Amino acid sequence: MFAYILRRLALIVPTLFGIMVVNFIIVQAAPGGPVEQMIAKIQGVAVEATARVSGTGSQETVPSAQRRQQGQSSDVQSKYRGAQGLEPEFIKQIEKQFGFDKPAPERFFLMLKNYIVFDFGNSYFRDRSVIDLVLDKMPVSISLGLWTTLLVYLISIPLGIMKAVRDGSRFDIWSSGVVVIGNAIPGFLFAILLIVLFAGGRYFDWFPLRGLVSDNFAELSTWQQIGDYFWHMTLPILSMVIGGFAGLTMLTKNSFLEEINKQYVVTARSKGLSEHRVLYGHIFRNAMLIVVAGFPSAFIGILFTGALLTEIIFSLDGLGLLGFESTINRDYPVMFGTLYFFTLLGLVLNLIGDLMYHIIDPRIDFEKRGT
């Protein structure tokens, strides 16, 4: 098993490198980089400051200077949108500020060199380090991901077992209808519906619409702070649970159905064991193997993908909202820093998921399979 772990760890390096290369190329090709963002913010002031033409000098030198300036400006204009009227030297200063005075391959390998030691640099537009930003936003996303994952498992596993035991019954049929609806409708639509119904959208105003806690959170007692926290988290978590329990429920049901029809279950029943003993003493461990082993990947999926739109809709200042704003503002250090960190985390958790298969059932040995 040790050799398998080493191979998987070695495979992380080219996988992570390939992901970073593809995303770097795509982002570089996309219009509206950080230089354009800065030009758009300062152009109104810069045009007024640079559009003045001095009245001194001979009539022969001024036209030649204007022609040189127009030639340089046309080069800048062809490179960056909205750069009309800005001095080429000023554009070069902006490029140097963001590191765009170097070729793209050099910038990429310099970025990777820093990322190896987890030096993600500073945000272009927030004047803070990327690590500080991530640590500041992490509690919100962890709250959403952890509570959602726990509730999804607490709901899906019992429901899936009941559906497997009562396969084909009326309970199985109507619960399957609920599962299909939950699987078909995206979680963000449930979030909008919950806002309309319970957050003052149209009917009831029972829950807050934005934020993780209230403005007077520091003035509340401990129990009031706990209540205030769950009061704010109710609707976001509920919207994610409704949109996420369907797949795990059907996975649990199908896994139990597959085990129920196996020969060892028939043998256990022929020995006179009760259905409860057969179900939870023999079937449960084998059927739950794939469900429990998938917990790390399920958590990372909910934490960094499912929470994105939820954070935006409910104005929760977490990693999802940070990534969205960084993409809109072309804040490359935040974009690539969080991509590198969470891709690495996801690859490691996938390895942990495989190891959990072996821990739960030692008969599963990936090394003997040659994988």
Side-chain angles (χ1 to χ4, degrees):
M1 197 65 183
F2 182 71
Y4 171 77
I5 295 175
L6 290 180
R7 288 197 301 269
R8 286 294 301 272
L9 290 176
L11 187 61
I12 287 177
V13 177
T15 303
L16 183 61
F17 180 80
I19 292 174
M20 296 299 295
V21 168
V22 171
N23 283 274
F24 185 84
I25 293 175
I26 293 175
V27 169
Q28 297 301 313
V35 176
E36 288 91 335
Q37 295 287 331
M38 182 60 70
I39 289 174
K41 290 182 179 181
I42 67 176
Q43 187 181 17
V45 178
V47 168
E48 294 179 358
T50 58
R52 298 188 184 94
V53 179
S54 174
T56 60
S58 64
Q59 295 181 355
E60 296 180 354
T61 58
V62 171
S64 61
Q66 288 178 342
R67 284 194 298 269
R68 288 195 302 270
Q69 182 176 358
Q70 288 174 357
Q72 292 173 337
S73 299
S74 62
D75 295 337
V76 172
Q77 182 178 355
S78 63
K79 187 175 182 181
Y80 299 111
R81 292 183 178 182
Q84 298 89 343
L86 296 181
E87 294 284 353
E89 292 78 9
F90 183 71
I91 301 297
K92 292 181 179 179
Q93 292 178 2
I94 298 178
E95 289 180 332
K96 186 176 182 180
Q97 176 184 350
F98 293 119
F100 278 76
D101 56 332
K102 303 180 180 67
E106 182 179 350
R107 285 188 280 116
F108 175 75
F109 286 104
L110 180 62
M111 179 184 69
L112 287 186
K113 179 182 177 181
N114 294 329
Y115 284 6
I116 291 175
V117 294
F118 291 94
D119 180 11
F120 301 120
N122 297 322
S123 169
Y124 284 159
F125 305 108
R126 295 174 182 262
D127 195 26
R128 295 183 62 187
S129 67
V130 175
I131 293 180
D132 289 341
L133 284 172
V134 171
L135 293 178
D136 187 38
K137 313 300 182 183
M138 186 74 79
V140 176
S141 296
I142 288 182
S143 295
L144 285 173
L146 183 61
W147 290 116
T148 300
T149 305
L150 290 177
L151 288 176
V152 165
Y153 269 75
L154 289 175
I155 294 173
S156 299
I157 291 176
L159 181 59
I161 294 174
M162 293 176 64
K163 286 175 64 62
V165 173
R166 304 180 185 181
D167 184 42
S169 64
R170 295 180 61 183
F171 170 79
D172 181 43
I173 294 174
W174 71 258
S175 60
S176 295
V178 176
V179 169
V180 169
I181 294 175
N183 191 41
I185 302 178
F188 71 91
L189 289 182
F190 279 116
I192 296 174
L193 177 63
L194 291 174
I195 290 175
V196 173
L197 294 178
F198 303 113
R202 185 172 181 180
Y203 297 98
F204 305 102
D205 191 8
W206 293 348
F207 295 95
L209 183 58
R210 58 191 304 123
L212 185 63
V213 294
S214 300
D215 294 335
N216 62 338
F217 183 79
E219 303 173 1
L220 302 177
S221 63
T222 301
W223 289 108
Q224 288 176 331
Q225 288 180 345
I226 295 175
D228 182 76
Y229 166 77
F230 284 106
W231 182 47
H232 282 76
M233 294 296 294
T234 298
L235 294 187
I237 292 176
L238 183 59
S239 66
M240 294 178 64
V241 169
I242 292 176
F245 82 101
L248 185 59
T249 299
M250 298 307 298
L251 177 64
T252 304
K253 176 190 174 182
N254 294 333
S255 180
F256 269 79
L257 284 177
E258 182 180 358
E259 295 296 325
I260 286 174
N261 296 322
K262 289 186 176 180
Q263 183 62 40
Y264 76 89
V265 178
V266 178
T267 303
R269 286 171 176 168
S270 65
K271 292 181 179 180
L273 297 179
S274 64
E275 284 296 320
H276 184 274
R277 179 70 180 276
V278 172
L279 182 63
Y280 293 101
H282 293 76
I283 299 175
F284 187 82
R285 178 180 178 180
N286 295 326
M288 289 302 296
L289 174 63
I290 188 172
V291 177
V292 176
F295 182 86
S297 58
F299 174 73
I300 199 73
I302 293 175
L303 181 60
F304 301 119
T305 58
L308 171 60
L309 291 177
T310 302
E311 290 182 10
I312 296 174
I313 292 172
F314 288 97
S315 299
L316 296 173
D317 196 10
L319 294 173
L321 188 59
L322 174 65
F324 174 77
E325 293 177 347
S326 301
T327 303
I328 295 299
N329 296 326
R330 300 298 194 271
D331 197 345
Y332 287 172
V334 179
M335 290 173 57
F336 288 113
T338 53
L339 173 67
Y340 176 87
F341 177 75
F342 294 124
T343 301
L344 178 62
L345 181 61
L347 293 172
V348 172
L349 286 177
N350 284 333
L351 174 59
I352 294 175
D354 289 345
L355 296 179
M356 288 188 67
Y357 280 103
H358 179 73
I359 293 173
I360 296 174
D361 190 350
R363 296 173 299 176
I364 299 177
D365 193 341
F366 294 101
E367 188 169 353
K368 291 182 179 179
R369 298 184 181 187
T371 56

